[in-house]
Amino acid sequence: MNNLPIFLSLLLISSLYLNPIVSAQRYAAIFNFGDSLADAGNLCADGIPAYLATARLPYGMNFFGFPTGRCSDGRIVTDFIAQELGLPLLPPSKAHNATFHRGANFAITGATAMDISFFEGRGLGKNIWNAGSLHTQLKWFDEMKPSICSSPQDCRDLFRRSLFIVGEFGGNDYNAPIFAFRKMDEVHELIPFVVDSISKAVEKLIADGAVELVVPGVLPIGCFPVYLTIFNNEAVKNFGPQSGCLRNFNTLAWAHNSMLQRAILRLRNKYPGVRIIYGDFYTPIVQFMLHPEKFGFYKQPPRACCGAAGMGSYNFNLTAKCGDPGATACADPTTHWNWDGIHLTEASYGHIAKGWLYGPYADPPILSRSSAQ
């Protein structure tokens, strides 16, 4: 009796069940690096600093019911990804009495891709207030290894079964010259340095054993109330006619993302056995702006859910930011894509996380059929 057809049928069925969309438990852990878009409380590990408004209500009002150090009303992208993969929420790497065998979050608010010496050499040292740069976070990762692995080979085995999220990085690097009111040409000059730093970090993690990495781009910052408020007077002729965003800032973000995607392509060619995913923040936020009703958001100018009235209709005031006296939160943050003028709402992060997991906001999606091979 010829059993070949039966064998082929069983092979087809088994291949379907190898699809990670069906079996999300394919990752043993998640290790995340980044800035305030991904910080899960590293600034609060040794107590809440008096200056840290993001550690006060209404931050964390949704899902958690209390502030956690996340710059949102609730969960962030990494939380949604961990939940979808059946993993616990990543503890901040600086947390005491935490276990990191299922992953850790090294992200910290204010983080940059470049070390502080880079900015000091350009007269921008005073604009960088956090020393937790990308490569500092990689050192924290190295320091953690003995607590989660019994040997270098044990580490490599774990990391081969883990998902690494490297960023977003770049936003705070560009903010240093932007908020020092340097010319945009000078800001653009930073892009190759930032992208190279991210590329080197990816290669370092690959050398450690990582084979699946998400490398996110930066946001269309010209759509955010903080920039729209501060640069409102000098950029009247620079507004996008449909979005109302500042085109020069979005051009900066687009240039960074384009160079980063070219760098990712080079890394893919250099490491054919490694899966490097581009995580897109830019496209979904533009879609939130242009087609808000598709996501359950109000159709309105770029407006912070949490803040106080300032210039224009952006609900952003530097002297009364979210978490400060005089600032209030909107009744339903799920109707807003922007949380505090600088960061996103839990609802926005949920849409982006889904787009990274299943498409269309990732290249390729984290849980794409091809990743089962």
Side-chain angles (χ1 to χ4, degrees):
M1 181 178 178
N2 186 357
N3 291 323
L4 184 59
I6 297 175
F7 171 77
L8 291 175
S9 297
L10 291 173
L11 184 63
L12 176 60
I13 292 171
S14 65
S15 70
L16 291 174
Y17 281 92
L18 284 174
N19 181 357
I21 293 177
V22 177
S23 179
Q25 291 287 346
R26 62 192 305 272
Y27 295 110
I30 302 174
F31 296 96
N32 183 84
F33 306 83
D35 57 17
S36 58
L37 296 179
D39 189 353
N42 271 320
L43 279 181
C44 307
D46 294 312
I48 299 175
Y51 67 84
L52 194 63
T54 57
R56 298 193 289 264
L57 284 170
Y59 285 92
M61 60 182 282
N62 289 312
F63 188 76
F64 300 101
F66 56 88
T68 63
R70 291 167 172 81
C71 298
S72 176
D73 60 306
R75 289 165 291 181
I76 52 179
V77 169
T78 50
D79 295 324
F80 285 102
I81 290 175
Q83 289 179 317
E84 188 72 2
L85 297 177
L87 293 169
L89 301 188
L90 305 185
S93 62
K94 297 297 182 182
H96 303 290
N97 302 317
T99 178
F100 303 106
H101 292 86
R102 307 301 301 276
N105 191 333
F106 300 90
I108 190 165
T109 299
T112 54
M114 309 303 298
D115 292 330
I116 192 167
S117 59
F118 175 85
F119 299 99
E120 290 174 340
R122 288 161 175 77
L124 294 167
K126 294 181 179 179
N127 297 78
I128 303 297
W129 60 272
N130 189 321
S133 70
L134 168 54
H135 292 276
T136 298
Q137 292 179 31
L138 291 175
K139 292 178 184 177
W140 297 343
F141 175 61
D142 286 338
E143 293 166 357
M144 180 181 286
K145 289 177 185 176
S147 70
I148 57 176
C149 312
S150 59
S151 67
Q153 185 57 48
D154 185 35
C155 276
R156 292 189 68 83
D157 290 342
L158 172 63
F159 300 155
R160 286 186 63 83
R161 296 180 291 114
S162 299
L163 180 67
F164 289 79
I165 304 176
V166 190
E168 171 264 7
F169 283 101
N172 291 314
D173 298 81
Y174 305 131
N175 281 343
I178 285 173
F179 292 128
F181 298 96
R182 300 285 181 90
K183 293 181 178 179
M184 286 301 293
D185 288 347
E186 185 175 342
V187 184
H188 277 264
E189 289 174 0
L190 270 59
I191 296 176
F193 296 99
V194 170
V195 171
D196 182 63
S197 180
I198 296 169
S199 297
K200 287 178 178 175
V202 170
E203 291 198 274
K204 195 272 182 191
L205 292 170
I206 292 172
D208 285 338
V211 296
E212 298 217 18
L213 307 98
V214 180
V215 183
V218 298
L219 294 69
I221 58 175
C223 297
F224 281 71
V226 59
Y227 300 91
L228 288 159
T229 299
I230 294 175
F231 298 94
N232 185 54
N233 290 335
E234 63 183 70
V236 173
K237 297 180 181 179
N238 195 35
F239 288 113
Q242 285 186 297
S243 66
C245 303
L246 293 170
R247 287 181 291 191
N248 58 339
F249 289 111
N250 282 358
T251 297
L252 170 71
W254 182 89
H256 167 96
N257 292 340
S258 296
M259 188 173 290
L260 180 63
Q261 289 176 80
R262 291 195 296 272
I264 289 172
L265 181 59
R266 289 193 293 270
L267 290 171
R268 287 170 179 165
N269 292 332
K270 186 175 181 179
Y271 302 99
V274 175
R275 190 165 175 262
I276 306 175
I277 298 161
Y278 173 69
D280 188 357
F281 272 117
Y282 192 103
T283 302
I285 293 173
V286 170
Q287 291 183 355
F288 298 162
M289 287 289 305
L290 297 180
H291 308 289
E293 66 283 351
K294 293 183 178 180
F295 305 93
F297 301 140
Y298 288 149
K299 189 171 183 61
Q300 59 186 0
R303 187 179 189 278
C305 167
C306 181
M311 292 178 60
S313 57
Y314 309 119
N315 199 43
F316 184 84
N317 189 324
L318 280 171
T319 63
K321 301 185 300 297
C322 186
D324 288 337
T328 58
C330 60
D332 183 5
T334 65
T335 61
H336 287 59
W337 65 268
N338 191 285
W339 168 240
D340 59 3
I342 306 168
H343 308 98
L344 304 175
T345 58
E346 179 186 74
S348 294
Y349 285 129
H351 289 301
I352 293 169
K354 184 178 179 181
W356 286 9
L357 285 161
Y358 302 108
Y361 305 139
D363 176 28
I366 296 170
L367 296 183
S368 65
R369 184 174 298 274
S370 61
S371 66
Q373 305 303 318

